[in-house]
Amino acid sequence: MLTMVELRKLVDTPAGITICLVATVLAGIFGGGAALYRQPATIGDIALLAGVPAGTLVPVLAILLVTAERTHRTALTTYALTPRRHRILAAKAGAAIAVSAAVTPLALLAAVVIGPVGSLATGDPTVWSVDAGALSRFTIINVILALTGYALALAIGNAPAPIVIVLIWPMLESMLRTASPALDAIVRWLDVAAITEDAGRAATALAFWVALPALIGLRRALRAEVR
């Protein structure tokens, strides 16, 4: 029940609505690009590209969900209705997971529409095949990215800094890994995509991006004075 309430909050603000609309428009652009320029383009290929914008923006939604109580000064009301703060925080985490997991089926739905349209434009037949493994990896990474945004927002306590981190880090990571072998050896242990490649690197990345900031943030959130 509380998770459903938190899910509603995602689209109950101008920022949330704008992000959802932007993700939808970009999904059409990215998926359309795959249908037009990747030949032969499978439904799975189109879905993966169509889901990239939403996968990138879902951590931002998770951050806004965590920080919205402070931004809109509704924390006092929320905790008055549900005094056990850990239940609210768990519901927010559940909402972030649910939204990030929903990206893949929604991207597949978009691909089912985009594929035939692209086929009409190019004259090439639509290839109705899906790489289940690739879509599973895509879903797992999206969930981890959403939890990263959730954890960073809890730890830092505001929206701008976590948003900058989750949006800038992938580019910064790529620059650092190509700068020198020494930096690559270090930064590769912080790559959340390693969840599908190497168990040791995955555990390190999850500890750094999710577990540690979540513990810091939960401790602060459970003890802080509500205003």
Side-chain angles (χ1 to χ4, degrees), residues 19-112:
I19 289 174
C20 291
L21 290 176
V22 168
T24 301
V25 172
L26 290 179
I29 294 173
F30 277 56
L36 292 175
Y37 300 108
R38 281 195 175 186
Q39 299 301 328
T42 68
I43 291 297
D45 293 334
I46 297 171
L48 286 173
L49 271 179
V52 167
T56 303
L57 293 174
V58 157
V60 178
L61 281 175
I63 290 167
L64 294 177
L65 183 62
V66 173
T67 58
E69 305 287 0
R70 175 176 296 186
T71 302
H72 299 289
R73 301 185 181 276
T74 57
L76 188 60
T77 302
T78 298
Y79 291 132
L81 294 172
T82 308
R84 296 179 180 178
R85 299 185 192 182
H86 66 277
R87 293 186 60 195
I88 299 294
L89 298 174
K92 291 181 184 294
I97 292 171
V99 171
S100 57
V103 169
T104 300
L106 290 175
L108 275 172
L109 181 61
V112 169

Side-chain angles (χ1 to χ4, degrees), residues 165-187:
I165 291 171
V166 298
L167 293 181
I168 296 299
W169 172 252
M171 293 181 287
L172 181 60
E173 178 187 18
S174 178
M175 292 171 59
L176 292 173
R177 294 188 66 172
T178 56
S180 73
L183 286 175
D184 177 58
I186 297 172
V187 174

